[in-house]
Amino acid sequence: MRTVMWLSLLAGSTVAVGRVGRSCLVRKTALRAKVCAGLQRTPRVLITDGLAQEAIAALQAGGAEVIERSLTSDELSSGALAEYDGVIIRSATRLDAKAISAGAAGNLRLIGRAGVGVDNINMHAASANGLWVLNTPSASTISVVELTLAHLLAASRQLPRSDRGLREGVWLKPPAADARVGSELSGKTLGLLGFGRIAQGVSRVARALGMRICATSPRADADIAAGIG
């Protein structure tokens, strides 16, 4: 859906103007004018840090010209983004105020973050220049949930220490002097600070393993928490 929104805006389609995820927009009229300008030509999208082939294919299928190219900070500051209608970045590319202003002086109207955080994008500069900033807050949720579960299991079963011992020829099980006994997650209490998408996902998996969940968040949704149990 993020790719569709990107493509719709880049192609100059009629799109409801407002907030999308953590997008930031000022001067609605200015944005509409810039988007409409793209109707007369093929929109160009720069991808600087790589992107899934499915996403690239979707952009191309919608009529966008997709360019994959890494840029140095000097190139960004000197206005390399000005020739593109949109840029999609990950964490490697940092867009500071100078890079954004230089790009906005040309064709740049959209910045896409293929990930959750936007700390590598100067949001104030994007807002001041009337640019959309879109991220993909749910893109890595499942991966992070599974990684968290992996760490929980590894810690409770002391897998890293057992692995190192076995590689050194030591079987760290009783009656070995340095034996380490793992424990079950079932029946344990898992404490969570914050209860966003990732914490909710971890909670569901942990509950399935028989864990008790305690979470705190200033923006916790009681209905969601009740649904997880």
Side-chain angles (χ1 to χ4, degrees):
M1 290 301 296
R2 295 287 171 174
T3 298
V4 172
M5 177 63 75
W6 255 87
L7 192 54
S8 297
L9 285 168
L10 284 172
S13 303
T14 301
V15 181
V17 177
R19 290 185 176 274
V20 181
R22 292 180 62 185
S23 60
C24 177
L25 170 68
V26 293
R27 300 199 300 273
K28 298 178 183 179
T29 303
L31 176 71
R32 285 187 176 127
K34 293 185 77 174
V35 169
C36 289
L39 287 170
Q40 306 303 318
R41 58 181 174 76
T42 300
R44 306 185 75 218
V45 182
L46 175 67
I47 297 171
T48 62
D49 304 327
L51 195 66
Q53 286 302 312
E54 294 87 346
I56 294 175
L59 287 167
Q60 293 172 331
E65 178 186 356
V66 179
I67 299 92
E68 295 185 74
R69 175 191 171 196
S70 296
L71 297 174
T72 66
S73 58
D74 288 339
E75 289 175 319
L76 290 169
S77 297
S78 61
L81 295 179
E83 61 182 284
Y84 303 100
D85 298 284
V87 58
I88 301 177
I89 68 174
R90 290 187 183 274
S91 57
T93 299
R94 301 193 66 83
L95 299 180
D96 58 19
K98 189 173 182 180
I100 290 173
S101 296
N107 296 324
L108 187 65
R109 65 204 67 182
L110 287 165
I111 300 172
R113 169 70 167 91
V116 180
V118 291
D119 53 297
N120 55 332
I121 301 170
N122 189 310
M123 299 295 286
H124 295 293
S127 178
N129 285 280
L131 304 184
W132 275 87
V133 177
L134 307 178
N135 68 342
T136 54
S138 61
S140 60
T141 299
I142 294 177
S143 296
V144 177
V145 167
E146 292 180 353
L147 180 61
T148 302
L149 177 63
H151 284 303
L152 282 171
L153 290 168
S156 66
R157 293 293 180 176
Q158 303 199 37
L159 295 182
R161 185 179 181 84
S162 298
D163 176 71
R164 287 195 298 270
L166 190 59
R167 291 173 186 274
E168 296 169 359
V170 180
W171 184 248
L172 296 177
K173 291 288 186 180
D178 199 24
R180 290 293 184 271
V181 180
S183 62
E184 298 176 347
L185 290 179
S186 180
K188 299 293 192 304
T189 298
L190 177 63
L192 298 168
L193 299 179
F195 204 61
R197 284 178 296 271
I198 293 173
Q200 291 169 27
V202 171
S203 296
R204 292 187 181 95
V205 176
R207 284 283 294 171
L209 292 174
M211 300 189 76
R212 178 173 177 266
I213 309 302
C214 289
T216 178
S217 171
R219 293 180 295 276
D221 188 308
D223 292 334
I224 293 177
I228 293 175

